[in-house]
Amino acid sequence: QTCALPIWVPSPVLTLTRTPALTLKWPTNASAYHVQYATNLALPTDWQRLSGNPTTNAGNLQQPVGQSLGSRAFFRLSTALP
């Protein structure tokens, strides 16, 4: 008899810093993830992939938020296409 147990894997943490530009950071062991953003969370939420490619720095992937997203933006990490 076999028994299957669910394995919980925590999602990577996305950190927002200002150095001096607004920059998003997440661990390099989550390199399969990319940043998505939305300017409104009303359903259905229109998540878009953040343009640009992340770079590696001190064990983190980092990606500047270089585009104008308006006065409010929401970010997430995802492995799915927006």
Side-chain angles (χ1 to χ4, degrees):
Q1 178 179 9
T2 61
C3 179
L5 298 174
I7 298 175
W8 179 75
V9 178
S11 298
V13 175
L14 181 64
T15 305
L16 180 66
T17 61
R18 184 178 294 270
T19 59
L22 197 60
T23 303
L24 298 165
K25 296 180 181 182
W26 65 100
T28 54
N29 66 354
S31 61
Y33 288 81
H34 60 271
V35 177
Q36 293 180 344
Y37 74 93
T39 56
N40 187 327
L41 294 179
L43 297 177
T45 306
D46 183 25
W47 291 102
Q48 301 290 319
R49 188 170 186 155
L50 188 65
S51 64
N53 294 313
T55 58
T56 304
N57 184 13
N60 287 306
L61 291 165
Q62 63 182 32
Q63 186 168 356
V65 180
Q67 56 198 159
S68 175
L69 301 177
S71 61
R72 184 181 344 191
F74 304 91
F75 300 95
R76 72 178 185 180
L77 290 172
S78 179
T79 57
L81 296 175

